[in-house]
Amino acid sequence: MEPIQETIANNLAKLRKSRALSLDQVAELTGVSKAMIAQIEKGKSNPTVTTLWKIANGLQVSFSVFMKEEDKPVVTKININELTPMIDDDGNYLVYSVFPYNPEKKFEIYTVNLQAGHSHRANQHLGEEYILMKSGTLTLRVQDEEYILLEGEAISFTANIVHSYINATDEMVSFYNVIYYPD
């Protein structure tokens, strides 16, 4: 099967199924026979431009919807050791922006290192925080409540209140921080 034929077959099948239409219903809407639509979806027929226009008009979609290739997966690999951290509290609180905020995705991901015996007070901000412990023991203070987090544990909270990250141990604490911004 030619690549364009495969693309048309996949797009027509996806469109039909997304609308919960049977082959009979598509045939009725488009004036193209059920057999022809089935052949196109299976990639066994290379439809003419006229046939595709009939299908497009009947389903009320653009002609080009059948030629649209699927987006290729985008893979982004990050090495945290190659990132430059944002530094606060005299170098005792290091924040690495692993995946910066993207308005389409509505979240950002950081790796945070908090040196032994230090704490960081975060101002209230928009969004929800999700902390996933990487190593060490972190005390998280949210308003007047304290939560002890150990390696492998996670917690979430609404970040519109003052919160603090506290390392009361003699080892560095490392955690992932995902900040999600709901609508």
Side-chain angles (χ1 to χ4, degrees):
M1 176 178 355
E2 294 178 32
I4 188 67
Q5 192 176 344
E6 185 176 350
T7 299
I8 292 168
N10 291 335
N11 288 337
L12 177 56
K14 271 196 268 186
L15 180 62
R16 180 178 65 79
K17 291 173 184 172
S18 73
R19 294 185 178 182
L21 295 172
S22 67
L23 290 171
D24 286 323
Q25 290 170 314
V26 173
E28 187 176 316
L29 289 169
T30 64
V32 176
S33 73
K34 174 183 172 181
M36 175 58 78
I37 291 169
Q39 292 294 314
I40 295 169
E41 282 190 9
K42 291 177 185 173
K44 293 184 178 177
S45 173
N46 195 2
T48 64
V49 171
T50 302
T51 300
L52 279 181
W53 269 115
K54 282 183 173 182
I55 296 169
N57 288 333
L59 295 176
Q60 298 180 345
V61 295
S62 70
F63 180 81
S64 63
V65 78
F66 300 112
M67 271 59 80
K68 184 176 187 261
E69 292 187 29
E70 247 182 72
D71 293 333
K72 302 285 185 217
V74 176
V75 177
T76 305
K77 182 179 177 186
I78 304 292
N79 183 336
I80 293 172
N81 297 323
E82 295 173 359
L83 298 176
T84 302
M86 295 174 279
I87 300 171
D88 207 353
D89 299 331
D90 297 321
N92 293 304
Y93 182 74
L94 304 175
V95 179
Y96 299 84
S97 179
V98 180
F99 294 104
Y101 177 71
N102 178 331
E104 292 177 11
K105 294 185 170 90
K106 300 182 180 183
F107 68 87
E108 53 195 348
I109 300 176
Y110 299 97
T111 293
V112 179
N113 292 335
L114 181 58
Q115 296 300 322
H118 291 279
S119 64
H120 177 77
R121 182 177 185 267
N123 291 321
Q124 59 193 43
H125 56 84
L126 296 174
E128 300 167 4
E129 285 197 31
Y130 295 81
I131 306 292
L132 297 89
M133 290 300 297
K134 188 173 167 185
S135 64
T137 301
L138 176 71
T139 302
L140 175 67
R141 183 177 296 140
V142 180
Q143 284 189 327
D144 297 327
E145 295 288 322
E146 285 192 356
Y147 305 89
I148 307 295
L149 299 168
L150 305 174
E151 183 175 325
E153 293 185 328
I155 194 169
S156 68
F157 60 94
T158 305
N160 64 351
I161 49 181
V162 175
H163 47 285
S164 299
Y165 312 102
I166 303 160
N167 182 354
T169 72
D170 57 1
E171 297 178 357
M172 181 178 74
V173 169
S174 185
F175 58 92
Y176 299 103
N177 188 347
V178 177
I179 302 177
Y180 171 67
Y181 300 95
D183 290 332

